[in-house]
């Protein structure tokens, strides 16, 4: 039986899906072109027809995750007026995604850092800064709406939010996913909220 060739877009999506599954099951350190090829049922050469390297796959994955997160922030802010509840809703949604993907985005970031690729590091840095900038905008708009007190440093407050989420996800992953991520976040959010209201 002859297998029909699939379009580049379909193959790329299959490869990315395989990379996600492998990272979730085994961790990013076990993500190889060989393991992805086996997962999809292709040869390594077929993987290289769609992606030049593991670096390019990680970049594609990271961009996909960050674009989704940025879209979520945009969608939530369009649907709701900027407030602490809006920020809380965005962060809970992102934590839910982190939980479903077993913290994959942070594993990918760690793997990218370990590669030592300056261009890739710069790309991820810029995407993360864009996300933190969106959080900063939410905080700023929340202050204009009277939900957040005047005089706080919105940039530092946004970075603190990001650090809170990343730190929480790291502790959760290191614990073997042993606690409810969103429940633990609620406690941290309460402390953060008191500081900025």
């Amino acid at each position: 039986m002859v297998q029909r060739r699939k379009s580049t877009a379909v193959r790329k999506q299959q490869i990315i899906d395989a990379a996600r599954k492998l990272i979730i099951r085994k961790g990013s350190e076990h993500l190889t072109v060989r393991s992805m090829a086996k997962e999809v049922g292709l040869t390594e050469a077929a993987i290289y027809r769609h992606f030049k390297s593991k670096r390019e796959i990680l970049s594609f994955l990271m961009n996909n995750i960050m674009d989704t997160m940025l879209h979520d922030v945009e969608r939530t802010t369009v649907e709701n007026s900027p407030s602490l509840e809006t920020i809380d809703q965005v962060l809970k949604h992102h934590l839910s995604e982190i939980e479903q993907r077993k913290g994959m985005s942070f594993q990918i970031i760690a793997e990218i850092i370990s590669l030592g690729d300056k261009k890739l590091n710069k790309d991820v840095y810029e995407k993360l800064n864009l996300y933190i900038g969106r959080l900063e905008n939410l905080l700023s708009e929340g202050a204009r709406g009277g939900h957040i007190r005047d005089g706080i440093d919105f940039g530092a407050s946004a970075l603190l939010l990001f650090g809170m989420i990343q730190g929480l996800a790291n502790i959760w992953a290191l614990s073997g996913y042993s606690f409810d991520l969103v429940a633990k976040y609620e406690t941290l959010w309460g402390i953060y909220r008191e500081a900025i209201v």
Side-chain angles (χ1 to χ4, degrees):
M1 185 168 123
V2 177
Q3 189 176 5
R4 283 184 41 210
R5 271 202 155 165
K6 296 191 177 174
S7 73
T8 298
V10 169
R11 281 292 185 217
K12 275 189 162 187
Q13 191 59 53
Q14 287 177 327
I15 294 164
I16 291 304
D17 290 344
R20 280 191 179 108
K21 286 178 191 170
L22 287 165
I23 290 170
I24 289 169
R25 276 199 322 254
K26 299 181 176 183
S28 59
E29 68 276 7
H30 295 287
L31 182 67
T32 63
V33 172
R34 175 177 285 163
S35 65
M36 283 182 282
K38 186 177 177 185
E39 184 77 25
V40 178
L42 296 173
T43 64
E44 289 180 52
I47 300 287
Y48 284 118
R49 275 198 294 275
H50 300 287
F51 293 99
K52 292 180 215 162
S53 63
K54 177 181 171 180
R55 175 208 169 281
E56 190 174 282
I57 292 168
L58 288 169
S59 176
F60 192 90
L61 259 173
M62 193 67 216
N63 281 327
N64 185 268
I65 290 167
M66 291 306 300
D67 288 346
T68 300
M69 289 173 69
L70 290 166
H71 174 73
D72 286 346
V73 174
E74 294 301 319
R75 182 182 48 77
T76 305
T77 53
V78 165
E79 292 173 2
N80 305 289
S81 61
S83 68
L84 284 173
E85 286 69 33
T86 305
I87 297 167
D88 183 37
Q89 186 181 349
V90 166
L91 295 178
K92 277 184 185 167
H93 180 74
H94 290 167
L95 278 170
S96 176
E97 291 287 318
I98 289 167
E99 208 161 27
Q100 288 173 26
R101 294 178 176 161
K102 298 270 191 208
M104 182 179 56
S105 53
F106 298 113
Q107 290 182 47
I108 294 169
I109 291 171
E111 185 68 16
I112 287 170
I113 291 169
S114 75
L115 289 175
D117 183 314
K118 288 181 181 177
K119 183 188 179 322
L120 186 53
N121 284 353
K122 184 174 182 271
D123 291 346
V124 173
Y125 172 77
E126 287 171 359
K127 282 279 187 179
L128 288 175
N129 269 331
L130 192 57
Y131 177 72
I132 292 165
R134 298 281 166 81
L135 292 177
E136 184 177 347
N137 290 343
L138 278 178
L139 290 164
S140 174
E141 290 169 17
R144 278 196 295 276
H147 305 283
I148 296 170
R149 71 179 166 82
D150 289 330
I152 69 165
D153 181 328
F154 299 122
S157 299
L159 186 57
L160 186 59
L161 273 178
F162 176 76
M164 183 173 78
I165 297 300
Q166 182 174 12
L168 181 58
N170 288 343
I171 296 296
W172 175 69
L174 290 169
S175 77
Y177 315 107
S178 67
F179 58 85
D180 184 314
L181 197 53
V182 176
K184 188 72 87 173
Y185 157 79
E186 292 284 359
T187 305
L188 297 175
W189 174 251
I191 295 166
Y192 181 85
R193 184 184 177 109
E194 286 299 314
I196 65 169
V197 169

